[in-house]
Amino acid sequence: MKFIENRKKWYIFSAVIIIVGLISMMIQGLNYGIDFTGGNMLDLSFNETTNVDDLRSYLDTQGFRYNIQEAGENKYILRTEELDETASIDLIDNLTEEFGEVTVDRNEKVSASIGEELTRNALLALGIAAILMIIYITIRFEFFFGIAAVLALVHDVLITVGIFSILQIEVNSAFVAALLTIIGYSINDSIVIFDRIRENLNKRMKRTDEQIVDLSINQTLFRSISTSVAVIIVLLSLFLVGGSTIHDFVLAMLIGTVFGGYSSIFIASPLWIDMAGHKKIRK
């Protein structure tokens, strides 16, 4: 398969998805969750047996935004939009009426500044990771391999964030964790292909660098696809039966894994060819 000859098609395909996502972010923005907008955080203990699905079904009728996660047997952490004292008391009374006695172990107001801190730390982590990856890949391969790999990661992140904006799926701390996981997965697949390119370059084949990249991608294609498919099968299983608590996290992972596998094959190595400008015949 001729990956390099058709690279403009891959670039256009990616550019269209990224641009649509960016337009969505400019027009309707992201659907920020409680982690970013601030609100109340309640630690709740139920005397009677409850489950998160029943609680979620009930809370959906209360008319406010929330996140809920299990914190032990009949214990849950409930994050809501900001509630005043009266609204908090009404919520607990309603939960008690519906599910039996409820003990509030903690009820704290969470400032939106936590969201700002989370965003700042996530961007800082991404920046540090990008610099370290460029340094590592430059030492192991060469500088333009590092730049191509990081651009492929930015491609994966932009597409995932863009799709979440288009669909207005809630963005929370789990989404940030999913993005960081996607970066780790995507860079691993790109490194495997780069390693094969380096091996083939060192063999001094009588081929252009474009031909060597095509050969290297084809040699690792089965491995790349089979690895991605295995991960996608696991994520699909979690998405379907893993429960609503991890639904958005798994969805972000699914989108990132699909486009991470795609960018490793169709974007990273072609970018290296374009930036390095290697076209000479190796003797």
Side-chain angles (χ1 to χ4, degrees), residues 45-280:
S45 299
F46 291 80
N47 282 358
E48 298 181 14
T49 301
T50 58
N51 66 68
V52 71
D53 290 331
D54 290 341
L55 282 171
R56 194 178 292 276
S57 297
Y58 177 74
L59 291 168
D60 284 340
T61 67
Q62 297 300 301
F64 56 76
R65 300 170 62 200
Y66 70 92
N67 281 325
I68 188 166
Q69 64 186 82
E70 295 185 65
E73 187 175 357
N74 294 326
K75 292 185 177 181
Y76 300 90
I77 297 174
L78 175 63
R79 298 178 183 180
T80 70
E81 61 189 47
E82 188 167 342
L83 304 175
D84 58 27
E85 186 174 350
T86 303
S88 293
I89 292 172
D90 288 344
L91 172 63
I92 301 305
D93 288 343
N94 291 338
L95 286 171
T96 301
E97 183 177 343
E98 186 72 19
F99 297 98
E101 187 176 348
V102 180
T103 302
V104 182
D105 300 319
R106 179 178 59 160
N107 184 359
E108 295 179 353
K109 289 191 182 298
V110 181
S111 169
S113 62
I114 290 180
E116 294 172 2
E117 182 179 353
L118 181 64
T119 304
R120 185 171 57 252
N121 289 341
L123 292 175
L124 181 62
L126 288 174
I128 293 172
I131 293 171
L132 292 178
M133 281 189 282
I134 290 174
I135 294 172
Y136 167 73
I137 296 173
T138 299
I139 294 172
R140 184 171 174 183
F141 300 97
E142 68 169 63
F143 176 69
F144 286 116
F145 272 127
I147 298 297
V150 169
L151 288 177
L153 295 181
V154 172
H155 162 280
D156 303 339
V157 170
L158 285 177
I159 288 179
T160 306
V161 175
I163 291 176
F164 264 62
S165 173
I166 293 168
L167 301 178
Q168 285 293 289
I169 302 171
E170 185 175 292
V171 171
N172 50 32
S173 55
F175 177 76
V176 176
L179 287 184
L180 296 175
T181 308
I182 289 165
I183 289 172
Y185 173 81
S186 181
I187 193 68
N188 180 60
D189 212 22
S190 296
I191 289 293
V192 170
I193 297 174
F194 289 169
D195 204 36
R196 182 57 59 91
I197 292 173
R198 183 181 60 176
E199 286 179 13
N200 288 332
L201 288 172
N202 291 336
K203 290 179 181 176
R204 298 182 180 278
M205 297 176 176
K206 292 181 179 180
R207 303 182 183 190
T208 65
D209 283 352
E210 292 182 353
Q211 292 169 334
I212 289 176
V213 169
D214 270 344
L215 174 66
S216 302
I217 296 176
N218 278 298
Q219 288 176 338
T220 57
L221 188 60
F222 178 77
R223 181 264 180 203
S224 297
I225 292 176
S226 58
T227 302
S228 295
V229 169
V231 175
I232 289 169
I233 289 173
V234 173
L235 291 173
L236 274 175
S237 301
L238 287 171
F239 184 79
L240 294 174
V241 301
S244 54
T245 305
I246 60 172
H247 189 270
D248 292 346
F249 172 80
V250 175
L251 180 60
M253 286 291 299
L254 260 175
I255 296 170
T257 300
V258 171
F259 283 97
Y262 159 78
S263 69
S264 298
I265 297 170
F266 296 97
I267 300 297
S269 299
L271 280 176
W272 174 73
I273 284 290
D274 285 329
M275 288 187 294
H278 292 186
K279 293 183 179 178
K280 61 180 179 290

Side-chain angles (χ1 to χ4, degrees), residues 14-29:
S14 293
V16 169
I17 298 177
I18 290 172
I19 290 172
V20 171
L22 290 175
I23 291 173
S24 173
M25 282 188 271
M26 287 188 290
I27 294 176
Q28 59 182 359

